[in-house]
Amino acid sequence: MDVAAIRREFPILRERIPGRDGKDHALRFFDHAASTHAPEPVVRALVDFLTTSYANVHRGAHHLSERATDRFEHARERVKSFVGAPSDREAVFVMNTTQALSLASHVACSLHDGPVLSTRLEHHSNLLPHASHGSRGEVQFSEASPWYGRVEMIRVTEEGRIDLERLEERLRQRPKPRLLALSCASNVTGVKTPIKEVLEHAQDARVPVLLDGAQILAHEKLDFSRLPGGGPDYFAAAGHKAYAPLGSAALVAKRSLLDQAPPWMPGGGTVKLVLDEEILWADSPDRHEGGTPNVPGAVAFAAALDFLERVGMEEAERREMRLFAKLLRGLSEIPEVRMLGPHTAKERVGVVSFSLGRWSPAAMATALNAEHGVAVRHGCFCAHPYLMELLGVHAGPFIEEIRRGGSTSAPGVPGAVRASLGVYNDDADVEALLDAVRALAARKPDSGYAWKGDQETWVPIPAQA
Ligand SMILES: Cc1ncc(COP(=O)(O)O)c(C=O)c1O
């Protein structure tokens, strides 16, 4: 499918963004790394489920409950088939990537001992769950050591990539990690992990692997069946970053591991039998799906994966890389721009974070939206250790300010702006973003906006009459 045809499938692109000058702008959306929009087929699948099949699953013999169950289980198979998971893997539906990572951490930490090996490049959702499980509650932070509780972070290179040599070396050392948890692609710089190589080394060392697939699912076709050992032991990803609505995600993991661990969220649906003297837990996936699941979300997730396959993942990846190279080239030609991480598109997905002279990231994001209809994200992107490393700053001076209740969007707080590409972005989008950044670069930093501490936001300063 060409990009014009893809764009016609997204109702959100008909929206106009009100500008501060009273004019409307076309939507230039570069926040796909946070959440993506639903195309028509996904909206239709959702509406169809709500209007023809809506009922709770598993616990009813009536027609609608059976229909809902069929569609829910079909969605489960679809998630597994999309990633080429072998038959010994199960998919557990959860709400978001954070829950999928937390479930994997719960299973791994219930079954094995030792530290969790992770990297400095991770999203907090792939650090904090392990820190809490590993330390049985008390999460320790020490600036002097690379340990958070019991999570060991492998350093990154100057370019912001995982130091693979150090990772391989650590995998051979003692104490043996209970889990290697790392992302397929960074949500800050888009740098990709060489999954095949990492899996080979981890499998040699007999360390189970959890891959955080949040930033890869919609960007590159992962095929477990082509990966060493039939793929990772655990793989976490969310539908809301792959053209499904918010609230749908899955952990695809080895059934044998899921079934050995106690239920992650014990409750309705997780048992076969509850007696006074004994509880017989259900096998996975039910074992870890406590309570009523987000059935419409799972159905829409499956429809989104169908959509991605119809669009053609390889073609979409090629288009994304071409646009990404254009975006990086354009940004590198603006002298005030400082890009974080590598400066080329090689071994990355379409995500770039950057700063612009002395512009506060939050003021810049506000101006891009209000003056150009450009949607970007700003801040530290839930990856504080990585961002501080890339920016070359120490969080020390800001800790006290934040402790006192200061805002992370305030002037002077370190951060960046992030632009992330999605399947419908085109040349006009990229050109609009570059024009907008150039226009801001030509102005005094933060000009036209004032920081409102009480509202924790930047507001436009009305033009003088
Ligand atoms: C790499 C990565 N991991 C985990 C998460 C957390 O995802 P969720 O918001 O689905 O919990 C994100 C969110 O941006 C992410 O980019």
Side-chain angles (χ1 to χ4, degrees):
M1 272 169 94
D2 67 21
V3 71
I6 294 171
R7 289 179 75 82
R8 282 195 294 276
E9 302 236 22
F10 282 88
I12 199 79
L13 291 176
R14 289 176 220 137
E15 288 301 303
R16 303 284 299 174
I17 306 303
R20 64 174 292 190
D21 56 0
K23 293 189 195 136
D24 283 349
H25 298 278
L27 171 65
R28 306 295 184 184
F29 194 78
F30 291 95
D31 197 17
H32 294 93
S35 281
T36 48
H37 293 118
E40 288 281 7
V42 174
V43 175
R44 277 200 302 274
L46 189 60
V47 171
D48 178 63
F49 179 81
L50 295 176
T51 49
T52 68
S53 313
Y54 189 87
N56 210 322
V57 284
H58 296 320
R59 281 153 242 167
H62 59 80
H63 184 73
L64 286 187
S65 180
E66 282 174 1
R67 202 186 274 174
T69 304
D70 281 352
R71 297 191 63 178
F72 187 53
E73 293 308 322
H74 166 80
R76 199 187 301 284
E77 291 310 310
R78 189 66 191 95
V79 170
K80 286 194 268 179
S81 69
F82 189 80
V83 295
S87 58
D88 66 347
R89 304 300 208 275
E90 191 49 271
V92 179
F93 280 119
V94 288
M95 279 205 33
N96 49 41
T97 325
T98 304
Q99 289 194 349
L101 293 165
S102 177
L103 164 57
S105 185
H106 159 83
V107 173
C109 292
S110 310
L111 302 182
H112 316 288
D113 266 329
V116 172
L117 189 56
S118 192
T119 83
R120 188 165 280 278
L121 162 154
E122 303 307 312
H123 189 280
H124 295 158
S125 293
N126 200 17
L127 290 172
L128 303 182
H130 317 307
S132 329
H133 287 303
S135 62
R136 296 192 171 76
E138 81 284 3
V139 180
Q140 289 158 16
F141 172 79
S142 159
E143 275 294 314
S145 81
W147 287 74
Y148 287 71
R150 298 187 63 194
V151 181
E152 203 175 326
M153 291 190 292
I154 294 293
R155 65 186 173 225
V156 291
T157 64
E158 256 176 44
E159 228 199 358
R161 298 185 188 273
I162 296 168
D163 185 338
L164 286 176
E165 257 178 53
R166 176 64 197 130
L167 175 61
E168 287 156 23
E169 183 187 41
R170 176 61 189 90
L171 280 168
R172 289 193 298 270
Q173 292 169 343
R174 303 272 137 186
K176 185 176 149 183
R178 64 170 95 196
L179 181 70
L180 169 61
L182 78 183
S183 28
C184 298
S186 155
N187 67 312
V188 177
T189 55
V191 301
K192 290 198 283 190
T193 302
I195 296 170
K196 201 163 162 280
E197 209 178 316
V198 165
L199 280 176
E200 270 162 11
H201 288 288
Q203 286 166 6
D204 273 356
R206 299 189 172 279
V207 173
V209 177
L210 161 60
L211 290 183
D212 174 352
Q215 298 299 341
I216 205 81
L217 189 71
H219 295 266
E220 186 183 307
K221 190 85 171 111
L222 257 202
D223 187 352
F224 281 28
S225 64
R226 289 165 172 245
L227 292 175
D233 303 77
Y234 309 90
F235 177 76
H240 76 92
K241 294 182 195 289
Y243 307 100
L246 300 165
S248 60
L251 178 74
V252 179
K254 284 190 175 152
R255 197 176 290 109
S256 57
L257 298 172
L258 292 169
D259 283 349
Q260 281 177 64
W264 173 58
M265 203 197 292
T270 60
V271 285
K272 293 178 184 153
L273 193 63
V274 179
L275 303 170
D276 282 0
E277 61 281 2
E278 195 184 0
I279 301 168
L280 287 181
W281 298 110
D283 294 331
S284 59
D286 296 358
R287 187 183 190 84
H288 299 292
E289 277 178 3
T292 298
N294 177 2
V295 184
V299 169
F301 191 174
L305 298 178
D306 289 344
F307 167 79
L308 276 174
E309 239 155 47
R310 190 161 58 81
V311 160
M313 294 285 288
E314 282 183 12
E315 179 56 30
E317 193 188 337
R318 264 196 297 278
R319 195 164 37 231
E320 178 179 320
M321 283 303 101
R322 189 187 62 74
L323 277 186
F324 190 42
K326 175 173 177 154
L327 174 58
L328 296 182
R329 223 175 17 252
L331 287 174
S332 67
E333 285 164 4
I334 304 171
E336 295 80 1
V337 165
R338 177 181 166 205
M339 279 191 274
L340 305 184
H343 288 197
T344 68
K346 198 165 160 260
E347 304 296 326
R348 291 168 80 179
V349 296
V351 177
V352 57
S353 297
F354 59 97
S355 55
L356 182 71
R358 298 185 66 81
W359 273 84
S360 301
M364 191 178 155
T366 306
L368 288 174
N369 172 71
E371 298 172 27
H372 303 274
V374 169
V376 291
R377 193 146 289 257
H378 67 87
C380 291
F381 320 117
C382 297
H384 293 169
Y386 188 39
L387 213 84
M388 297 300 149
E389 179 93 19
L390 292 170
L391 288 170
V393 297
H394 191 269
F398 309 99
I399 295 172
E400 274 316 307
E401 179 60 28
I402 306 288
R403 255 195 208 120
R404 281 197 299 272
S407 167
T408 47
S409 294
V413 175
V417 157
R418 177 183 76 187
S420 51
L421 295 173
V423 74
Y424 63 62
N425 285 125
D426 60 6
D427 285 281
D429 284 341
V430 169
E431 282 151 24
L433 170 61
L434 290 171
D435 284 347
V437 176
R438 274 184 217 111
L440 295 192
R443 280 181 14 205
K444 238 177 96 208
D446 303 345
S447 56
Y449 295 84
W451 170 247
K452 282 264 178 207
D454 53 338
Q455 297 166 28
E456 297 203 11
T457 184
W458 288 84
V459 295
I461 302 169
Q464 298 289 327

